Amino acid sequence: MSMMLLSQLAPGEHRSPRRVSQDLRHDRSPDLRRRRGVVGLALLGAGAMAVVSLYQTGMIRHLPEPRSKYLGADEVDASDEAYARATTPDGLLGLTSYAFTATLAGMGGASRARRRPWISLALAGKVLADTVIAAKLTRDQWTKHRRFCSYCLAASAATFAMIPLIVPEVRHAVRALRDHRH
């Protein structure tokens, strides 16, 4: 999605870039603290996917992980399934997805749930979709390979941990939309 399209996602808030910068870096409201948590978790997921991407593109030969009969990142991340979507390594797709999630979490100032509720709802939809995909991919690793990729498990755990962080802001956004209609 282009930056221009992202900026048009929820028109209406005309806050200066300076104000948004101040809000994101210094505001201590609960919503912004949770959004920072989502950014951190998205970057954790992106980091895990970056390492997987190094392997899937041949930049490293082996994915180091703890020795366990339940872990097999090399096997899982070199499988046909890992290259099936858009004939692209799924690590690169995951990296892009987590970057987009971080962008949605960082978009807007402290009062975005009230002023630009659609951004809050877009983030919630993205996290919900990511959670469903992460659950499916985790299940598929076990059912198809009888092993997991520890990097993928870390990314999935980061995704699942985002859910409780987005719920309060979604409530605020829904309330703002409801109040706006009345």
Side-chain angles (χ1 to χ4, degrees), residues 92-154:
L92 292 172
L93 296 173
L95 178 62
T96 302
S97 177
Y98 282 112
F100 185 59
T101 300
T103 301
L104 284 172
M107 188 180 284
S111 59
R112 81 170 188 185
R114 184 172 44 84
R115 294 178 183 251
R116 300 176 85 181
W118 293 109
I119 298 173
S120 302
L121 298 177
L123 175 62
K126 175 74 167 66
V127 170
L128 181 61
D130 289 348
T131 300
V132 170
I133 292 167
K136 181 194 180 312
L137 292 175
T138 301
R139 181 187 54 106
D140 288 352
Q141 286 179 23
W142 183 252
T143 59
K144 295 178 181 183
H145 305 287
R146 294 288 185 224
R147 295 176 146 199
F148 297 102
C149 160
S150 60
Y151 299 90
C152 303
L153 290 176

XYZ file of all heavy atoms in Angstrom, residues 92-154:
483
model
N 9.953 -13.423 3.578
C 9.900 -12.058 3.035
C 8.484 -11.496 3.099
O 8.283 -10.318 3.406
C 10.420 -12.026 1.598
C 11.905 -12.303 1.423
C 12.257 -12.427 -0.058
C 12.740 -11.222 2.084
N 7.495 -12.343 2.824
C 6.105 -11.899 2.931
C 5.767 -11.552 4.383
O 5.105 -10.539 4.652
C 5.155 -12.976 2.407
C 5.294 -13.308 0.919
C 4.425 -14.506 0.562
C 4.949 -12.105 0.060
N 6.244 -12.377 5.310
C 6.010 -12.109 6.731
C 6.687 -10.827 7.183
O 6.107 -10.033 7.931
N 7.907 -10.616 6.730
C 8.642 -9.394 7.057
C 7.866 -8.165 6.595
O 7.687 -7.191 7.344
C 10.022 -9.455 6.405
C 10.954 -8.272 6.561
C 11.303 -8.033 8.014
C 12.225 -8.537 5.764
N 7.361 -8.209 5.383
C 6.570 -7.104 4.836
C 5.288 -6.905 5.642
O 4.904 -5.775 5.955
C 6.233 -7.379 3.359
O 7.451 -7.561 2.639
C 5.430 -6.262 2.748
N 4.641 -7.990 5.996
C 3.400 -7.916 6.752
C 3.616 -7.288 8.122
O 2.844 -6.422 8.554
C 2.802 -9.316 6.905
O 1.631 -9.280 7.684
N 4.666 -7.721 8.824
C 4.941 -7.148 10.147
C 5.313 -5.671 10.053
O 4.956 -4.872 10.920
C 6.029 -7.929 10.876
C 5.511 -9.213 11.470
C 5.918 -10.442 10.982
C 4.607 -9.198 12.526
C 5.437 -11.628 11.524
C 4.120 -10.370 13.072
C 4.540 -11.582 12.567
O 4.052 -12.738 13.110
N 6.006 -5.283 8.988
C 6.331 -3.864 8.801
C 5.052 -3.056 8.619
O 4.920 -1.944 9.150
C 7.264 -3.682 7.606
N 4.091 -3.596 7.884
C 2.827 -2.911 7.690
C 2.057 -2.795 9.004
O 1.460 -1.748 9.305
C 1.994 -3.602 6.613
C 0.726 -2.884 6.274
C 0.744 -1.576 5.801
C -0.493 -3.502 6.429
C -0.432 -0.902 5.493
C -1.678 -2.846 6.117
C -1.649 -1.540 5.658
N 2.071 -3.853 9.811
C 1.416 -3.803 11.119
C 2.043 -2.711 11.984
O 1.328 -1.930 12.622
C 1.513 -5.171 11.826
O 0.870 -6.153 11.010
C 0.864 -5.140 13.199
N 3.371 -2.649 12.006
C 4.052 -1.611 12.785
C 3.670 -0.222 12.282
O 3.470 0.707 13.070
C 5.569 -1.810 12.725
N 3.539 -0.073 10.965
C 3.154 1.208 10.383
C 1.752 1.610 10.831
O 1.523 2.756 11.237
C 3.228 1.153 8.845
O 4.565 0.835 8.465
C 2.806 2.457 8.211
N 0.818 0.680 10.788
C -0.542 0.978 11.249
C -0.554 1.339 12.735
O -1.277 2.250 13.149
C -1.473 -0.209 11.002
C -1.931 -0.432 9.571
C -2.693 -1.755 9.460
C -2.779 0.721 9.070
N 0.238 0.650 13.543
C 0.287 0.945 14.976
C 0.897 2.317 15.240
O 0.505 3.012 16.176
C 1.073 -0.138 15.718
N 1.843 2.723 14.414
C 2.499 4.008 14.610
C 1.796 5.182 13.967
O 2.155 6.339 14.204
N 0.784 4.931 13.188
C 0.119 5.984 12.430
C -0.798 6.811 13.328
O -1.605 6.273 14.065
C -0.689 5.331 11.307
C -1.289 6.291 10.317
S -2.208 5.398 9.040
C -0.866 4.774 8.060
N -0.664 8.116 13.241
C -1.575 9.017 13.947
C -1.091 9.396 15.327
O -0.175 8.799 15.880
N -1.729 10.416 15.863
C -1.360 10.933 17.172
C -2.045 10.209 18.310
O -2.676 9.160 18.128
N -1.954 10.810 19.481
C -2.467 10.184 20.696
C -3.979 9.997 20.674
O -4.495 9.065 21.270
C -2.061 11.015 21.912
N -4.694 10.846 19.977
C -6.157 10.779 19.990
C -6.728 10.155 18.724
O -7.865 10.423 18.348
C -6.730 12.182 20.189
O -6.291 13.027 19.152
N -5.964 9.298 18.082
C -6.428 8.773 16.796
C -7.700 7.940 16.907
O -8.492 7.909 15.977
C -5.327 7.986 16.097
C -5.169 6.558 16.602
C -4.257 5.791 15.715
N -4.253 4.389 16.082
C -3.467 3.508 15.533
N -2.610 3.888 14.613
N -3.528 2.256 15.893
N -7.908 7.229 18.001
C -9.128 6.422 18.133
C -10.365 7.308 18.068
O -11.403 6.894 17.550
C -9.113 5.625 19.429
N -10.247 8.528 18.550
C -11.364 9.476 18.518
C -11.401 10.250 17.203
O -12.442 10.400 16.595
C -11.238 10.456 19.683
C -12.379 11.427 19.802
C -12.320 12.255 21.083
N -11.001 12.767 21.410
C -10.479 13.890 20.922
N -11.166 14.615 20.059
N -9.278 14.280 21.304
N -10.232 10.702 16.740
C -10.167 11.567 15.552
C -10.109 10.791 14.233
O -10.584 11.266 13.216
C -8.944 12.469 15.621
C -9.000 13.479 16.728
C -7.700 14.276 16.720
N -7.652 15.220 17.790
C -7.751 16.525 17.622
N -7.909 17.018 16.426
N -7.688 17.324 18.654
N -9.465 9.624 14.258
C -9.304 8.809 13.048
C -9.563 7.338 13.389
O -8.677 6.497 13.288
C -7.887 8.992 12.500
C -7.598 10.452 12.128
C -6.194 10.643 11.678
N -6.102 10.320 10.256
C -4.979 10.364 9.571
N -3.852 10.682 10.145
N -4.964 10.068 8.295
N -10.782 7.027 13.797
C -11.066 5.674 14.283
C -10.806 4.576 13.258
O -10.546 3.429 13.631
C -12.540 5.736 14.690
C -13.103 6.912 13.962
C -11.968 7.878 13.799
N -10.856 4.910 11.978
C -10.659 3.879 10.958
C -9.247 3.309 10.997
O -9.049 2.147 10.652
C -11.000 4.426 9.577
C -12.467 4.723 9.479
C -13.057 5.953 9.425
C -13.529 3.776 9.504
N -14.429 5.816 9.396
C -14.745 4.482 9.439
C -13.584 2.382 9.567
C -15.990 3.865 9.436
C -14.825 1.769 9.558
C -15.994 2.493 9.493
N -8.286 4.104 11.424
C -6.917 3.568 11.540
C -6.876 2.518 12.643
O -6.289 1.449 12.474
C -5.889 4.682 11.803
C -5.863 5.666 10.647
C -4.496 4.071 12.011
C -4.985 6.881 10.907
N -7.502 2.809 13.757
C -7.557 1.840 14.864
C -8.238 0.550 14.414
O -7.780 -0.555 14.744
C -8.310 2.434 16.052
O -7.701 3.624 16.482
N -9.318 0.699 13.660
C -10.043 -0.482 13.185
C -9.264 -1.228 12.108
O -9.325 -2.464 12.043
C -11.431 -0.078 12.686
C -12.339 0.533 13.764
C -13.666 0.975 13.156
C -12.544 -0.427 14.916
N -8.524 -0.496 11.285
C -7.673 -1.155 10.282
C -6.589 -1.980 10.977
O -6.304 -3.109 10.570
C -7.045 -0.124 9.350
N -5.985 -1.425 12.020
C -4.984 -2.183 12.777
C -5.613 -3.433 13.385
O -5.032 -4.523 13.315
C -4.353 -1.316 13.872
C -3.385 -2.050 14.807
C -2.189 -2.604 14.044
C -2.937 -1.120 15.932
N -6.796 -3.292 13.946
C -7.459 -4.446 14.545
C -7.739 -5.523 13.499
O -7.510 -6.718 13.752
C -8.761 -4.011 15.216
N -8.216 -5.118 12.333
C -8.462 -6.084 11.266
C -7.188 -6.778 10.822
O -7.178 -7.992 10.583
N -6.114 -6.008 10.723
C -4.818 -6.576 10.315
C -4.328 -7.580 11.348
O -3.892 -8.683 11.006
C -3.806 -5.435 10.129
C -2.389 -5.878 9.833
C -2.254 -6.397 8.420
C -0.806 -6.557 7.998
N -0.071 -7.586 8.731
N -4.395 -7.220 12.615
C -3.938 -8.131 13.676
C -4.817 -9.379 13.718
O -4.307 -10.497 13.876
C -3.882 -7.414 15.041
C -3.660 -8.401 16.180
C -2.788 -6.349 15.036
N -6.112 -9.217 13.547
C -7.009 -10.378 13.534
C -6.670 -11.311 12.377
O -6.556 -12.532 12.554
C -8.463 -9.922 13.459
C -9.510 -11.029 13.468
C -9.426 -11.837 14.751
C -10.895 -10.429 13.307
N -6.484 -10.756 11.191
C -6.111 -11.582 10.037
C -4.766 -12.260 10.268
O -4.605 -13.457 9.977
C -6.061 -10.722 8.775
N -3.811 -11.523 10.810
C -2.489 -12.104 11.086
C -2.576 -13.237 12.103
O -1.851 -14.228 12.003
C -1.527 -11.034 11.602
C -1.117 -10.046 10.538
O -1.376 -10.296 9.339
O -0.531 -9.003 10.912
N -3.455 -13.080 13.083
C -3.613 -14.118 14.108
C -4.153 -15.409 13.490
O -3.663 -16.500 13.797
C -4.553 -13.614 15.225
O -3.972 -12.434 15.795
C -4.745 -14.653 16.308
N -5.127 -15.286 12.624
C -5.686 -16.464 11.949
C -4.609 -17.132 11.099
O -4.444 -18.361 11.131
C -6.919 -16.069 11.099
C -7.362 -17.206 10.198
C -8.054 -15.607 11.999
N -3.853 -16.335 10.357
C -2.787 -16.889 9.505
C -1.704 -17.540 10.344
O -1.235 -18.648 10.026
C -2.214 -15.787 8.584
C -3.272 -15.370 7.561
C -0.938 -16.252 7.901
C -2.940 -14.087 6.823
N -1.298 -16.889 11.434
C -0.255 -17.456 12.297
C -0.704 -18.789 12.897
O 0.087 -19.747 12.967
C 0.110 -16.465 13.405
N -1.948 -18.848 13.324
C -2.462 -20.107 13.885
C -2.468 -21.211 12.831
O -2.058 -22.352 13.104
C -3.864 -19.896 14.443
N -2.899 -20.868 11.622
C -2.935 -21.871 10.543
C -1.527 -22.335 10.182
O -1.279 -23.533 10.035
C -3.631 -21.303 9.312
C -3.713 -22.326 8.179
C -4.093 -21.697 6.868
C -4.174 -22.691 5.733
N -3.061 -23.604 5.589
N -0.602 -21.400 10.034
C 0.760 -21.782 9.662
C 1.427 -22.619 10.751
O 2.164 -23.566 10.456
C 1.600 -20.539 9.348
C 1.191 -19.787 8.077
C 1.999 -18.500 7.934
C 1.331 -20.659 6.846
N 1.166 -22.297 12.002
C 1.723 -23.084 13.104
C 1.154 -24.498 13.080
O 1.895 -25.483 13.204
C 1.435 -22.393 14.451
O 2.026 -21.086 14.432
C 2.009 -23.189 15.619
N -0.141 -24.606 12.887
C -0.770 -25.928 12.790
C -0.213 -26.701 11.605
O 0.110 -27.889 11.706
C -2.288 -25.782 12.660
C -3.022 -27.115 12.579
C -4.496 -26.887 12.287
N -4.650 -26.072 11.094
C -5.051 -26.554 9.909
N -5.346 -27.820 9.775
N -5.161 -25.760 8.862
N -0.073 -26.031 10.461
C 0.447 -26.686 9.262
C 1.873 -27.203 9.464
O 2.224 -28.266 8.942
C 0.431 -25.735 8.062
C -0.970 -25.472 7.529
O -1.933 -26.140 7.980
O -1.097 -24.577 6.673
N 2.686 -26.471 10.198
C 4.055 -26.943 10.442
C 4.014 -28.312 11.124
O 4.753 -29.219 10.742
C 4.828 -25.951 11.325
C 5.233 -24.704 10.598
C 5.981 -23.733 11.489
O 6.574 -24.100 12.501
N 5.959 -22.465 11.107
N 3.155 -28.442 12.111
C 3.102 -29.713 12.831
C 2.455 -30.814 11.987
O 2.968 -31.931 11.914
C 2.349 -29.562 14.151
C 2.356 -30.852 14.904
C 1.307 -31.695 15.102
C 3.495 -31.466 15.504
N 1.724 -32.798 15.803
C 3.063 -32.678 16.069
C 4.832 -31.105 15.632
C 3.916 -33.538 16.746
C 5.687 -31.956 16.308
C 5.226 -33.153 16.855
N 1.344 -30.495 11.327
C 0.637 -31.548 10.593
C 1.403 -32.003 9.356
O 1.314 -33.167 8.970
C -0.783 -31.098 10.185
O -0.705 -29.934 9.378
C -1.648 -30.830 11.402
N 2.171 -31.126 8.738
C 2.897 -31.481 7.517
C 4.327 -31.941 7.769
O 4.874 -32.704 6.975
C 2.895 -30.302 6.543
C 1.502 -29.979 6.047
C 1.472 -28.795 5.134
C 0.030 -28.536 4.722
N -0.098 -27.454 3.788
N 4.953 -31.439 8.835
C 6.378 -31.730 9.055
C 6.668 -32.399 10.391
O 7.783 -32.859 10.621
C 7.203 -30.439 8.961
C 7.001 -29.703 7.687
N 7.511 -30.123 6.486
C 6.291 -28.566 7.415
C 7.152 -29.282 5.532
N 6.398 -28.339 6.064
N 5.701 -32.405 11.296
C 5.894 -32.918 12.654
C 7.034 -32.204 13.368
O 7.694 -32.754 14.241
C 6.126 -34.429 12.680
C 4.946 -35.223 12.243
C 3.886 -35.162 13.327
N 2.770 -36.018 12.981
C 1.514 -35.651 13.117
N 1.209 -34.464 13.580
N 0.552 -36.469 12.806
N 7.244 -30.951 12.960
C 8.260 -30.090 13.556
C 7.826 -28.647 13.405
O 7.011 -28.322 12.557
C 9.617 -30.265 12.872
C 10.192 -31.625 13.066
C 11.457 -31.744 12.302
N 12.327 -32.596 13.072
C 13.609 -32.659 12.938
N 14.217 -31.886 12.058
N 14.330 -33.472 13.648
N 8.434 -27.804 14.223
C 8.166 -26.374 14.160
C 9.444 -25.615 13.838
O 10.549 -26.080 14.129
C 7.649 -25.854 15.509
C 6.345 -26.441 15.939
C 6.300 -27.439 16.908
C 5.155 -26.003 15.386
C 5.104 -27.976 17.320
C 3.937 -26.544 15.795
C 3.920 -27.534 16.767
N 9.272 -24.439 13.296
C 10.357 -23.468 13.131
C 10.303 -22.559 14.357
O 9.289 -21.898 14.595
C 10.136 -22.675 11.844
S 11.001 -21.111 11.775
N 11.376 -22.516 15.148
C 11.359 -21.703 16.366
C 11.209 -20.212 16.047
O 10.586 -19.473 16.813
C 12.620 -21.947 17.191
O 13.777 -21.617 16.455
N 11.733 -19.764 14.930
C 11.595 -18.365 14.535
C 10.135 -18.046 14.208
O 9.619 -16.986 14.568
C 12.477 -18.058 13.318
C 13.933 -18.295 13.606
C 14.509 -19.545 13.377
C 14.727 -17.295 14.128
C 15.842 -19.780 13.652
C 16.072 -17.515 14.409
C 16.619 -18.767 14.175
O 17.942 -18.995 14.464
N 9.482 -18.996 13.545
C 8.069 -18.829 13.214
C 7.210 -18.851 14.474
O 6.242 -18.084 14.584
C 7.617 -19.928 12.258
S 8.591 -19.999 10.740
N 7.573 -19.702 15.431
C 6.846 -19.727 16.694
C 6.985 -18.399 17.433
O 6.016 -17.900 18.017
C 7.341 -20.871 17.581
C 6.997 -22.286 17.132
C 7.636 -23.302 18.073
C 5.490 -22.497 17.048
N 8.181 -17.817 17.406
C 8.385 -16.511 18.049
C 7.524 -15.448 17.369
O 6.893 -14.617 18.044
C 9.860 -16.121 18.002
